[in-house]
């Protein structure tokens, strides 16, 4: 057994931190941008004290939701750490609980990118990716539709108020009959199918539905492939369409999904070509399709390139788009960068390899840090979504000041449960001076994280602090949400 080093749990925090200012990012839809053009803003802090006063004054727009702050998310990560410090000084139980900061301004900026690059494609946000109540309200206010996969998701969107059921696509090709019936009852008509049995179910439970045939797309260039579970091969599409015709069902369009976390945007070209083939097959059986649903899979870093491939392919295969509506089902594109997580180092262990003065390797890192969120919580994305996370130091030895000269050590980061699978980061470099009570930060924690977090081992799902973002975009976000609230929605 290696000894756990006991260190002071609550170190004093250096309150001399300051807000920072970032220049607006520039994006281009030309499809020739390098990764460097679209890297996230650096987490470099400038010394500038302006703007912190407004951050302390959160406002309530929706009485049932947490209040809204303004200001840069990194400021709120620090404020959250200081608040935790204060609470632990007051002996509040669970004071050092991990927490998220959600930057709604980032969602807004992603929407601007979307509208700029794909102005003719209406996004239907895939809510399974992160059904956060503010994210849904903001996207509803911005005019997005929603891709729902279950009754629960449909009710969640409809309960916002102000979202007409026609702005929902029930994009699960394998639905329980009762779910189909309920969709019909609440006015959700647009739904996908990819097999014969689904057609029989729909003809019984919601014969007036508007159907979208989900076809297979090449998903080999994605982190999470879907073909093994969903999608009709082009060869079976004619028989599916003929059956739909027999059952007097209304087939209106085609959809596909190139896989989640798609890293080669050229797959959209092939997918659009297949969709075109289905439009032609449908015409043979007497359907005039008018909806093209290009699915999700959009990655933040390759979005502009993907948008170019997609637009070019649509232009090539649907030269006369007259009367054809194009929609998409983006999920992670909207939310992945909008959420950051702060987690507290609750324990630290120096394995005996160090004692034996062996060189640390990635299998035997020198220092093991235990934090209070893990793969059963927010970091389930590591198991289910194949994400790789990178911690950064939020506080070091009780201070927000992390000197770049600080010597680094090979380290591993672990979640709080008693399961050895609960490893957040098997090998990374962290300052050797990190102590129990210090905080680690994680960016890009918005997609497929909170939504699938469990309370395994009695650890609660981490809270969220919301900000409308830094100067500029903050006003726009506030305006959109306030407009939505003023119409009486989501109260
Ligand atoms: C999960 C899913 C999406 C969203 O995928 P992202 O990769 O997050 O964009 C869209 N459509 C369907 C049908 C999905 O299952």
């Amino acid at each position: 057994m290696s000894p756990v080093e006991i260190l002071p749990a609550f170190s004093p925090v250096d309150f001399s931190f300051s807000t920072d200012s970032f220049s607006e990012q520039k994006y281009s839809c030309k499809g020739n941008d390098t990764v460097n053009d679209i890297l996230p803003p650096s987490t470099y802090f400038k010394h500038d004290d302006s703007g912190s006063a407004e951050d302390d004054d959160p406002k309530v727009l929706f009485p049932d939701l947490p209040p809204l702050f303004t200001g840069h998310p990194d400021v709120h990560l620090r404020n959250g750490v200081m608040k935790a410090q204060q609470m632990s000084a007051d002996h509040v139980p669970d004071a050092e609980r991990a927490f998220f900061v959600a930057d709604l301004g980032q969602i807004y900026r992603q929407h601007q990118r979307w509208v700029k690059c794909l102005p003719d494609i209406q996004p239907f946000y895939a809510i399974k990716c992160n059904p956060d109540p503010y994210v849904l309200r903001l996207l509803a206010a911005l005019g997005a539709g929603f891709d729902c996969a279950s009754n629960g998701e449909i009710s969640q969107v409809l309960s916002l108020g102000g979202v007409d059921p026609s702005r929902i696509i029930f994009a699960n090709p394998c639905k329980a009959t009762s779910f189909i019936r309920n969709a019909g009852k609440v006015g959700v008509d647009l739904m996908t199918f990819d097999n014969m049995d689904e057609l029989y179910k729909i003809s019984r439970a919601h014969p007036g539905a508007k159907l979208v045939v989900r076809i297979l797309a090449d998903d080999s260039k994605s982190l999470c492939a879907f073909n093994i579970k969903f999608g009709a091969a082009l060869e079976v599409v004619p028989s599916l369409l003929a059956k739909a015709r027999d059952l007097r069902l209304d087939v209106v369009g085609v959809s596909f999904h190139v896989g989640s976390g798609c890293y080669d945007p050229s797959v959209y070209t092939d997918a659009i070509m297949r969709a075109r083939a289905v439009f032609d097959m449908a015409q043979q059986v007497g359907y005039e399709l008018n909806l093209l649903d290009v699915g999700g899979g959009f990655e933040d870093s390759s979005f502009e390139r993907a948008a170019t491939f997609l637009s070019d392919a649509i232009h090539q295969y649907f030269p006369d788009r007259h009367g054809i509506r194009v929609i998409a089902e983006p999920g992670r594109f909207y939310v992945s960068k909008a959420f950051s997580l702060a987690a507290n180092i609750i324990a630290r262990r120096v394995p005996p390899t160090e004692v034996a003065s062996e060189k640390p390797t990635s299998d035997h890192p020198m220092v093991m840090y235990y934090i209070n969120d893990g793969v059963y919580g927010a970091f389930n994305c590591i198991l289910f979504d194949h994400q790789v996370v990178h911690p950064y130091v939020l506080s070091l030895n009780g201070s927000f000041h992390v000197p770049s000269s600080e010597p680094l050590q090979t380290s591993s980061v672990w979640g709080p449960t008693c399961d050895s699978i609960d490893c957040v980061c098997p090998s990374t470099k962290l300052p050797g001076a990190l102590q129990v009570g210090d905080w680690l930060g994680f960016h890009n924690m918005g997609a497929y994280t909170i939504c699938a977090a469990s309370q395994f081992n009695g650890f609660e799902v981490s809270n969220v602090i919301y900000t409308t973002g830094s100067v500029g975009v903050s006003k726009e976000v506030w305006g959109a949400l306030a407009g939505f609230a003023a119409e009486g929605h989501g109260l």
Side-chain angles (χ1 to χ4, degrees), residues 126 128-129 147 171 214 226 257 259-261 295-298 329-332 448:
K128 74 162 190 284
C129 183
D147 157 2
R214 164 116 170 232
F226 289 136
H257 197 301
S260 198
F298 302 92
E329 302 163 352
R332 72 174 75 238
Y448 305 106

Side-chain angles (χ1 to χ4, degrees), residues 3 13 20 71 82 85 173 176 189 192 201 287 289 300 305 312 324 349 351 357 389 397 421 448:
V13 163
D20 51 307
M82 289 195 292
Q85 218 76 32
D189 294 333
T192 60
K201 285 190 296 184
Y287 285 117
L289 303 189
D300 181 77
R305 245 163 62 77
D312 288 353
I324 297 175
R349 178 201 303 266
S357 76
V389 301
N397 205 354
I421 201 178
Y448 305 106

Side-chain angles (χ1 to χ4, degrees), residues 251-264:
V251 181
V252 299
V254 184
S255 77
F256 57 78
H257 197 301
V258 295
S260 198
C262 176
Y263 50 83
D264 180 359

